[in-house]
Amino acid sequence: MGELAAASKVHVMVSYWWSRGDSLANHQLGQILSRAAGVGEVDLTDSQSLDRALRIAVTDPAVLGELEAWWQMVETRRAGNGTRNPGLGLDQSIRYLTDRLDAAAITPEVLGECRRQVAAVDLTIMSAKNLPELAHPDAEMLDLLGRYLEARSRVLALA
């Protein structure tokens, strides 16, 4: 594999595993990028900021090696499971459900939307059950899951 192809592959793989939302791994990525010459400050919550930093970082062979080791470590840590951290969208799903459930009238269409949302969130949680975020949840994740179960129960009670 040529130098450019290797840099391109690392860039893509780091971007992919960053987007899975593994907080601990992304913290480590931030440390790698902060040590890279010429990268400057990186906002790990912004995909464009990460992309700019990676374009610079992959040009340094030493940093390229660190980044390759990083994405391989994340892939191993997550057992190849590409499911996003369910906590990243859970708050939005909870708000979506509660907003619709707290509306004056719950039409069959609204109930159908809520059931589809519950099914999608349930699927995400099930596919992520062995990931670090759910295998060893922190207080924030436990709070989100509790709030989700409450909203989910409200939807299922309307059956």
Side-chain angles (χ1 to χ4, degrees), residues 24-155:
L24 178 59
N26 287 352
H27 175 74
Q28 294 168 328
L29 175 61
Q31 292 176 329
I32 293 168
L33 292 174
S34 70
R35 290 192 306 268
V39 169
E41 192 171 324
V42 180
D43 178 2
L44 286 178
T45 63
D46 177 44
S47 62
Q48 291 179 342
S49 177
L50 177 75
D51 187 59
R52 283 190 300 275
L54 286 174
R55 286 184 193 282
I56 296 167
V58 297
T59 62
D60 180 336
V63 178
L64 181 65
E66 274 192 88
L67 291 171
E68 182 162 13
W70 178 86
W71 77 256
Q72 290 174 358
M73 176 275 303
V74 176
E75 182 179 54
T76 300
R77 171 179 156 87
R78 299 180 79 74
N81 185 338
T83 303
R84 275 184 86 216
N85 175 348
L88 296 177
L90 202 50
D91 195 46
Q92 285 178 309
S93 294
I94 294 165
R95 275 195 309 264
Y96 177 88
L97 292 171
T98 55
D99 287 352
R100 274 142 191 84
L101 294 171
D102 292 342
I106 299 176
T107 64
E109 292 80 20
V110 168
L111 184 56
E113 288 175 19
C114 289
R115 285 187 179 151
R116 284 188 291 280
Q117 183 70 24
V118 164
V121 172
D122 285 354
L123 183 61
T124 300
I125 289 172
M126 289 304 297
S127 63
K129 69 181 178 193
N130 294 322
L131 295 180
E133 296 84 11
L134 292 180
H136 309 286
D138 58 11
E140 181 181 355
M141 179 60 81
L142 290 173
D143 177 61
L144 283 170
L145 290 171
R147 290 177 35 228
Y148 170 66
L149 288 176
E150 183 180 315
R152 181 183 188 275
S153 296
R154 288 179 63 194
V155 170

